[in-house]
Amino acid sequence: MESRRSIMAGSTPGNLDNRDGFRSKWGFILACIGSAVGMANIWRFPYMVAEFGGLTFLLPYFLFVLLIGASGVMEEFALGRWGGAGPVGSFGKAVETRGGKRRVGEAIGILPVVGSMGLAIGYTVVMGWIFKYTKMAITGELFALGQDTAAIGGTFSAAAPETKTLGEGVSMMLQNGIFGIGNGFWIIVAIVVSVVIMALGVSGGIERACKIMIPLLFGLFLVMAVYIATLSGAGDGYKFIFSLNPRGLLDWKVWLFAFGQAFFSLSVAGNGSVIYGSYLGKDVAIGASARNVAVFDTLAALVAMFVIIPAMATTGGELTTKGPGLMFVALPSVFNGMGGIGWVVGAFFFVAVLFAGTTSIINLYETPVAFLQEKLKFNRVVSVVAIHAVGLVVALLIQPWTSQWMDVVSIYICPLGAMLAGIMFFWVMKKKTAVDAVSQGSHKPVGGWFHPIGKFIYVPLCGVALVGGAIVSVTLGMTLG
């Protein structure tokens, strides 16, 4: 293991002295993998593969993972390390180095912080569902529901009431005393777990938690994938996964959704990757770290796919549901149909999802926590408690409007944050400064391809994700998030 001094980020102008950081290169990589591996990998990726046809979707997806990993992921890590801060401080420094006013850049950098906080709040509600279902899966309550779709659906509806507007949702929660409906207790549990991990610091909390949870996440999914491979009918799922329709590659929607999936799965939004990069030492190779994050995030999505699609095939059903409906309604019915072993498979599944969600939510809350530390000079514990207190109150109130809340943040704020970070790095910063920042810690400078690809391909594609996601959400009722 590399020394703490060589890995942790040093103090820089405008930042806290003795700034916490990652103790090891793999601690940083596992934390970044944890931030990327989330619900997009589990409840959306398998659906996208099923919707657009196996390899017909996977080939464009792999291409975009390669592109984004070699541009956006590297850029956000390098921007944070170069700036020695989150998006506010790093954007401000970028503008200042080109003769502009630092405050202008800092003001722009607030948007990714807001995006991270908004997504964290929505994720808090989702994590409440996951904690509840993990408990039900372990105790057998979920298995006892059998394959009664009405009972399974009713159980989830009770935990996740729905309204059409935010005002109606807040009014519903207030009229029922906040805890009269919904899933308030388990949301509090999710918040407490996040507070405990984050209050212990970057190295003592986030890094240590990810070193435990990420290997277990992969291990649990691999065990499930191996077991499901032995079930009758699973072969049909594999055949579908490896099918290819050349004509399908001519469908623009395949490419748009493949890019959107890769974009959000790799967690480029100008916030989480920037702040984690700011905790990274000067002697760590950005390119290798970005490559590992992209590879393991993709592996997580593939393993989830090799669990879910063959599992659905064993029942002769089609994967026609995405989002919460897939995880909390469709899959429990499939697991419960496996007999006694279904109890175990369901428990393994939800524990794995719990690890994926926990490592994601601590990354999302880290950006606003670091903002309070950097700009308001709050200490770590006060910052963590303050941010989570706000997150808890809002999460409790928006429960009936969670899906729409997540759509707004993921369709508009996150792509805009990623585009702004890309503009700061590839357009505002001088080319030599940007190239030196991403090359630092490597045995040789980054290739000449890096800056043009980031400047002329990645940044415009962030705009495509923003505009395309908005258009698709309106015209097709679907999202890229």
Side-chain angles (χ1 to χ4, degrees):
M1 179 179 290
E2 298 170 63
S3 70
R4 179 181 177 86
R5 184 175 181 180
S6 68
I7 294 297
M8 67 180 288
S11 61
T12 57
N15 289 321
L16 299 175
D17 293 332
N18 301 317
R19 199 163 183 266
D20 196 3
F22 293 103
R23 292 190 178 188
S24 68
K25 176 181 69 176
W26 273 102
F28 166 73
I29 291 171
L30 288 172
C32 292
I33 293 170
S35 74
V37 176
M39 299 307 102
N41 299 77
I42 297 169
W43 74 27
R44 195 170 187 279
F45 182 76
Y47 171 85
M48 288 287 100
V49 174
E51 173 74 9
F52 293 110
L55 285 175
T56 310
F57 178 82
L58 288 173
L59 292 179
Y61 176 78
F62 292 148
L63 176 63
F64 286 126
V65 166
L66 178 63
L67 170 66
I68 297 169
S71 55
V73 178
M74 291 174 64
E75 162 255 307
E76 293 198 1
F77 288 167
L79 178 62
R81 183 170 68 176
W82 172 82
V88 172
S90 295
F91 284 20
K93 183 177 177 181
V95 171
E96 188 176 47
T97 57
R98 292 303 294 260
K101 293 183 178 180
R102 186 183 186 93
R103 289 186 178 179
V104 173
E106 290 181 339
I108 295 172
I110 291 176
L111 189 138
V113 176
V114 171
S116 188
M117 184 67 181
L119 207 54
I121 290 169
Y123 238 85
T124 299
V125 180
V126 175
M127 283 303 299
W129 301 338
I130 294 172
F131 270 98
K132 178 182 177 68
Y133 270 70
T134 301
K135 176 258 185 183
M136 292 176 63
I138 292 173
T139 61
E141 296 171 66
L142 194 59
F143 182 73
L145 295 175
Q147 293 183 282
D148 186 341
T149 304
I152 296 173
T155 299
F156 181 63
S157 295
E162 294 184 353
T163 57
K164 292 183 179 180
T165 68
L166 177 59
E168 290 174 351
V170 173
S171 177
M172 175 188 290
M173 296 306 301
L174 292 175
Q175 289 175 6
N176 287 274
I178 301 296
F179 294 97
I181 59 172
N183 195 39
F185 172 78
W186 291 104
I187 289 177
I188 293 175
V189 171
I191 283 287
V192 169
V193 169
S194 182
V195 166
V196 170
I197 292 172
M198 296 186 68
L200 292 173
V202 177
S203 59
I206 295 174
E207 180 177 358
R208 185 174 297 175
C210 290
K211 281 183 173 180
I212 296 171
M213 292 183 182
I214 296 304
L216 286 175
L217 164 67
F218 277 92
L220 290 169
F221 266 120
L222 285 172
V223 169
M224 286 187 287
V226 170
Y227 170 72
I228 288 172
T230 67
L231 300 180
S232 175
D236 292 335
Y238 301 128
K239 289 178 183 177
F240 177 80
I241 289 171
F242 292 107
S243 65
L244 175 65
N245 176 14
R247 286 190 175 183
L249 293 174
L250 301 178
D251 185 351
W252 65 270
K253 292 192 295 294
V254 172
W255 292 85
L256 179 63
F257 280 97
F259 175 74
Q261 180 67 29
F263 183 85
F264 289 105
S265 183
L266 288 174
S267 193
V268 284
N271 43 48
S273 296
V274 175
I275 192 62
Y276 273 10
S278 75
Y279 299 138
L280 189 60
K282 307 296 185 184
D283 56 348
V284 176
I286 292 289
S289 298
R291 180 178 64 247
N292 284 321
V293 171
V295 167
F296 283 100
D297 176 71
T298 303
L299 285 176
L302 292 175
V303 172
M305 174 190 71
F306 280 116
V307 169
I308 293 172
I309 293 181
M312 298 295 290
T314 63
T315 65
E318 295 183 357
L319 187 55
T320 58
T321 306
K322 67 172 179 174
L326 171 62
M327 186 182 299
F328 300 107
V329 180
L331 283 176
S333 178
V334 171
F335 296 149
N336 292 348
M338 294 179 180
I341 193 66
W343 182 340
V344 178
V345 175
F348 269 45
F349 177 81
F350 280 104
V351 170
V353 173
L354 181 66
F355 291 154
T358 301
T359 53
S360 292
I361 198 171
I362 58 180
N363 171 263
L364 292 170
Y365 274 122
E366 181 61 25
T367 301
V369 165
F371 172 78
L372 293 188
Q373 290 184 271
E374 293 169 2
K375 303 307 294 182
L376 301 183
K377 307 304 180 184
F378 289 180
N379 67 38
R380 177 75 182 183
V381 174
V382 171
S383 298
V384 168
V385 172
I387 288 296
H388 282 79
V390 174
L392 173 61
V393 172
V394 179
L396 289 171
L397 291 174
I398 69 162
Q399 288 184 74
W401 205 68
T402 302
S403 294
Q404 298 95 316
W405 177 282
M406 295 287 276
D407 285 348
V408 170
V409 176
S410 63
I411 292 174
Y412 301 104
I413 301 180
C414 289
L416 182 56
M419 185 168 65
L420 290 174
I423 290 172
M424 288 294 169
F425 191 84
F426 291 111
W427 288 89
V428 175
M429 289 170 59
K430 293 180 180 179
K431 180 179 179 180
K432 184 179 185 307
T433 303
V435 171
D436 287 347
V438 83
S439 299
Q440 189 174 41
S442 301
H443 295 300
K444 58 181 180 180
V446 69
W449 50 267
F450 170 73
H451 201 268
I453 286 178
K455 187 173 185 176
F456 299 112
I457 298 179
Y458 170 71
V459 173
L461 283 178
C462 290
V464 170
L466 176 61
V467 176
I471 293 174
V472 170
S473 68
V474 172
T475 59
L476 300 182
M478 303 174 73
T479 75
L480 289 176

